[in-house]
Amino acid sequence: MSSETSDHDAVLAANRDFYQAFARRDHEAMAALWSEDEPVTCIHPGWQGLFGRDAVMSSWRAIMNGDSPAIECSEPRVTVLGDVAIVVCIESAAGSPAQLAATNVFQRDDVGWKLVHHHAGLIARATSPEPPVKRTLN
Amino acid sequence: MSSETSDHDAVLAANRDFYQAFARRDHEAMAALWSEDEPVTCIHPGWQGLFGRDAVMSSWRAIMNGDSPAIECSEPRVTVLGDVAIVVCIESAAGSPAQLAATNVFQRDDVGWKLVHHHAGLIARATSPEPPVKRTLN
């Protein structure tokens, strides 16, 4: 297996672990997935940006302790840029037709790939064959 | 000036160039800002992910030729991770109270910092002191 394939698969596995931790509301696994070395950032759907590990982990605790639906990830696409990787994927909420588009950014550390940034936002009119051309939802 | 400060400032400048190209509807500048070396990706507000330079540049041509409002960037926060940098910022549309949260990912090449990924999504209830705890907008 080439190093490129190996990196790609390792990032996919880290991305899968992230959605599994979320679905299982596993706070310990979620905390372990996020980098402790870098200033992590996170943009939840509809939220402003959160900066730093304390704010980001606190948001995940609130979300996983709340009544948020289980989220499934599909169609992950990985771009490896050296020691950083970007995953773009679809998030689907159980029992809802709503879908979100997500960006997950990972950084390689000594152990594996750790999340440094997450951004998710609702996809409008997911059934439409053409995306809206206007830049804002209004 | 330390190399860290220099990287931080160079990324901020590239991020500023991106919003200037957008505001001026400068297609040539926009095309030059995006990496030609890596498979770029883009998630416009409400859209699904776009993959590859052709799809991404075509979307910007459509947006900049359309009636999208001018966008201003504020509160950019930069995280430099070696040769990749993440900018999280606020986008405001002229003449609208709507604000978007944006992620811009840049990669360093021989010349400077090039965009490899952009993701923007509407901020809900921007005037509320507390963000929504639920993970989806519904």
Side-chain angles (χ1 to χ4, degrees):
Chain A
M1 193 161 63
S2 75
S3 135
E4 270 181 35
T5 312
S6 161
D7 284 347
H8 179 276
D9 290 354
V11 171
L12 268 186
N15 193 63
R16 198 163 46 235
D17 290 346
F18 167 59
Y19 287 101
Q20 278 189 357
F22 188 1
R24 293 175 182 162
R25 294 162 197 266
D26 184 336
H27 295 268
E28 204 171 319
M30 182 62 86
L33 281 159
W34 284 80
S35 173
E36 300 205 46
D37 302 327
E38 298 294 341
V40 300
T41 48
C42 187
I43 305 173
H44 295 294
W47 296 35
Q48 298 196 37
L50 300 173
F51 302 94
R53 190 171 168 91
D54 287 353
V56 172
M57 296 322 305
S58 164
S59 74
W60 283 109
R61 279 193 297 277
I63 287 166
M64 294 197 293
N65 285 337
D67 62 351
S68 299
I71 298 287
E72 279 196 8
C73 164
S74 60
E75 301 176 41
R77 301 269 293 250
V78 179
T79 306
V80 178
L81 306 166
D83 288 335
V84 175
I86 303 170
V87 180
V88 171
C89 59
I90 302 283
E91 298 181 355
S92 308
S96 162
Q99 288 193 315
L100 300 104
T103 298
N104 296 317
V105 185
F106 296 85
Q107 186 186 33
R108 193 201 311 261
D109 72 5
D110 294 342
V111 184
W113 292 87
K114 293 293 172 66
L115 268 165
V116 289
H117 179 67
H118 167 76
H119 185 169
L122 199 66
I123 298 172
R125 304 189 301 165
T127 56
S128 165
E130 293 294 326
V133 166
K134 280 198 76 164
R135 189 60 178 58
T136 52
L137 295 170
N138 49 19
Chain B
M1 193 160 66
S2 75
S3 136
E4 269 180 38
T5 311
S6 161
D7 285 347
H8 178 277
D9 290 353
V11 171
L12 268 186
N15 193 63
R16 198 164 45 235
D17 290 346
F18 166 60
Y19 287 102
Q20 278 189 358
F22 188 2
R24 293 176 183 163
R25 295 163 196 264
D26 183 337
H27 296 267
E28 203 172 320
M30 182 62 87
L33 281 159
W34 285 80
S35 174
E36 302 206 45
D37 302 328
E38 297 293 342
V40 300
T41 48
C42 186
I43 304 172
H44 295 294
W47 296 34
Q48 298 195 37
L50 299 173
F51 302 95
R53 190 171 167 91
D54 287 353
V56 171
M57 296 323 304
S58 164
S59 75
W60 283 109
R61 279 194 297 277
I63 287 166
M64 295 196 294
N65 285 337
D67 61 350
S68 298
I71 298 286
E72 280 196 5
C73 165
S74 60
E75 300 176 41
R77 301 268 293 250
V78 179
T79 306
V80 178
L81 306 166
D83 288 334
V84 175
I86 304 170
V87 180
V88 171
C89 61
I90 302 283
E91 297 181 356
S92 308
S96 161
Q99 288 192 314
L100 299 104
T103 298
N104 296 317
V105 185
F106 295 85
Q107 186 185 34
R108 191 201 313 261
D109 71 6
D110 294 341
V111 184
W113 292 86
K114 293 293 172 68
L115 267 165
V116 289
H117 179 66
H118 168 75
H119 185 170
L122 199 66
I123 298 172
R125 303 189 300 164
T127 56
S128 164
E130 292 294 326
V133 166
K134 280 198 77 164
R135 189 59 176 60
T136 51
L137 294 170
N138 48 19

